[in-house]
Amino acid sequence: MAMTRIRTRLLGVTAASLLALSLAACGGNDSDTASSSATSAAAPAPSASEMTSSAAMDQPFGAACSAVPASGAGSFSGMAQDPVATAASNNPVLSTLVTAVKTAGLVDTLNGAKNITVFAPTNDAFAKIPPAQLKAVLADKDMLTKILTYHVIGQKVTPDQLGTAGPFKSLQGGDVTVSGSGEDFTVNGDSKVVCGNVQTANATVYLVDTVLMPK
């Protein structure tokens, strides 16, 4: 009988100890969960407007972007795979610029550059130049090279930097000044960015509606 009472007491102590340990463990888990929840609640998620704004700035913008092919090598996704001169050659909006770049012998120079920004005149921009004057420029390689390299900045310029970080030094040596913000930018006072933030393998491209002329 005595041995039976001793065994009963030992079993009771053991059960009580296990119960206490279980309760402590449960209490610790609840505390950790509450702490984790409080930490998560303290870090607010970005708002829908912030996410939309950030996503929008990663995309090309501007009225003339609608003229860029929706698919193929000349599309935005296609241009992103090629260096800038090659990418431009696949885009029908930039065919006159491509002819000028080839005439000046700048294809390899532009394709071989790294992290540059190009203000690319559209066909409509070149159409503003009187035909006789344009023909004369295309026939003068030195002048053509100066004009084309004036459209190239030796660094990548994001839309956020475009209207605030200038003036920008061009490869020609002259300064290029940009004003504006959001999706509304003007270059050198009269040339409008009509499709901006176009990415190629080595450049950020801003299509402009007027050919820039160095001083």
Side-chain angles (χ1 to χ4, degrees):
M1 293 292 292
M3 290 298 296
T4 301
R5 284 196 296 270
I6 291 170
R7 288 175 182 172
T8 301
R9 287 175 183 175
L10 287 174
L11 289 172
V13 170
T14 302
S17 299
L18 290 173
L19 178 61
L21 288 173
S22 297
L23 290 173
C26 290
N29 288 339
D30 289 344
S31 175
D32 291 345
T33 301
S35 176
S36 177
S37 299
T39 301
S40 299
S47 67
S49 61
E50 289 174 333
M51 290 189 292
T52 300
S53 175
S54 176
M57 292 309 291
D58 290 338
Q59 302 298 318
F61 62 85
C65 290
S66 60
V68 175
S71 61
S75 65
F76 292 128
S77 59
M79 292 178 70
Q81 307 304 312
D82 294 318
V84 63
T86 301
S89 70
N90 293 321
N91 193 319
V93 177
L94 301 173
S95 59
T96 306
L97 173 62
V98 171
T99 296
V101 168
K102 289 179 178 178
T103 301
L106 292 174
V107 172
D108 291 341
T109 299
L110 294 177
N111 277 348
K114 294 182 179 180
N115 297 325
I116 59 175
T117 295
V118 178
F119 294 101
T122 62
N123 294 343
D124 290 341
F126 280 100
K128 293 180 180 180
I129 302 175
Q133 183 180 347
L134 179 58
K135 183 178 180 179
V137 170
L138 290 173
D140 187 334
K141 187 174 180 178
D142 288 341
M143 181 184 296
L144 181 61
T145 298
K146 289 179 181 179
I147 292 173
L148 293 176
T149 54
Y150 182 62
H151 289 74
V152 183
I153 309 300
Q155 66 185 76
K156 274 202 173 185
V157 182
T158 67
D160 286 340
Q161 298 170 324
L162 197 58
T164 59
F168 303 101
K169 184 69 68 177
S170 70
L171 296 189
Q172 180 267 344
D175 288 339
V176 177
T177 302
V178 183
S179 59
S181 61
E183 297 184 359
D184 185 11
F185 296 99
T186 301
V187 186
N188 285 357
D190 59 358
S191 184
K192 296 285 188 179
V193 173
V194 293
C195 182
N197 201 32
V198 178
Q199 300 300 315
T200 74
N202 67 328
T204 297
V205 180
Y206 296 90
L207 278 63
V208 293
D209 68 355
T210 304
V211 176
L212 307 178
M213 294 294 181
K215 295 181 180 179

